[in-house]
């Protein structure tokens, strides 16, 4: 009984210290504080962003297993989702769309603005 009085508080203390929630934005802040959306193109703006944020689940090799068979690896595939509204709906967490990235924080305003500008320009292959 004497040991229980000592061990129980230690176990509780250790349990609370091991559980915490970190915010990705605070741990990994963007390296640039400016958001340049003046010359948004697919090849230089959107494709690198999708590569960084989406292709772990939505590449040609992972889409079937992890990404509901939604492929975002090439322009043709991305254009289809941009045209039907799914791409923008998902990244801005619009009601009725599956919020992306799944299980992660919403993309920054700069990243979602980049995608929005490209989609609103007609999703050109530039």
């Amino acid at each position: 009984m004497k040991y229980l009085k000592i061990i129980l508080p230690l176990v509780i203390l250790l349990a609370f210290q091991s559980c915490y929630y970190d915010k990705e934005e605070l741990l990994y802040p963007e390296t640039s504080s400016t958001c340049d959306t003046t010359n948004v193109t697919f090849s230089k703006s959107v494709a690198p962003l999708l590569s960084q944020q989406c292709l772990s689940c939505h590449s040609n090799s992972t889409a079937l297993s992890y990404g509901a068979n939604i492929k975002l690896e090439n322009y043709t595939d991305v254009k289809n989702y941009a045209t039907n509204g799914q791409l923008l709906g998902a990244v801005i967490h619009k009601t009725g769309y599956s919020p992306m990235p799944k299980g992660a924080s919403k993309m920054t305003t700069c990243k979602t603005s980049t995608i929005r500008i490209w989609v609103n320009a007609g999703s050109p292959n530039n």
Side-chain angles (χ1 to χ4, degrees):
M1 187 70 177
K2 179 170 111 176
Y3 293 112
L4 185 61
K5 289 181 180 180
I6 295 172
I7 294 175
L8 187 60
L10 288 175
V11 170
I12 292 171
L13 180 64
L14 288 174
F16 282 112
Q17 284 185 337
S18 65
C19 298
Y20 64 96
Y21 178 76
D22 284 330
K23 292 191 175 220
E24 183 179 5
E25 301 84 28
L26 297 176
L27 290 173
Y28 308 105
E30 287 192 58
T31 54
S32 173
S33 61
T34 61
C35 180
D36 183 11
T37 56
T38 54
N39 294 311
V40 173
T41 65
F42 179 77
S43 61
K44 293 190 177 172
S45 309
V46 177
L49 193 153
L50 295 176
S51 178
Q52 176 190 37
Q53 297 284 302
C54 309
L55 292 187
S56 61
C57 295
H58 296 289
S59 70
N60 292 341
S61 61
T62 60
L64 185 60
S65 300
Y66 304 108
N69 208 26
I70 295 172
K71 298 175 184 174
L72 300 174
E73 195 165 320
N74 63 56
Y75 171 77
T76 304
D77 291 333
V78 175
K79 170 74 173 174
N80 290 332
Y81 293 108
T83 300
N84 70 19
Q86 283 184 286
L87 179 64
L88 192 56
V91 299
I92 66 170
H93 294 194
K94 189 174 180 181
T95 303
Y97 294 90
S98 182
M100 292 292 146
K102 181 77 79 192
S105 299
K106 185 178 179 180
M107 286 186 200
T108 64
T109 301
C110 183
K111 291 175 182 177
T112 58
S113 293
T114 299
I115 294 172
R116 182 187 314 270
I117 289 166
W118 178 74
V119 169
N120 289 341
S123 311
N125 188 5
N126 52 6

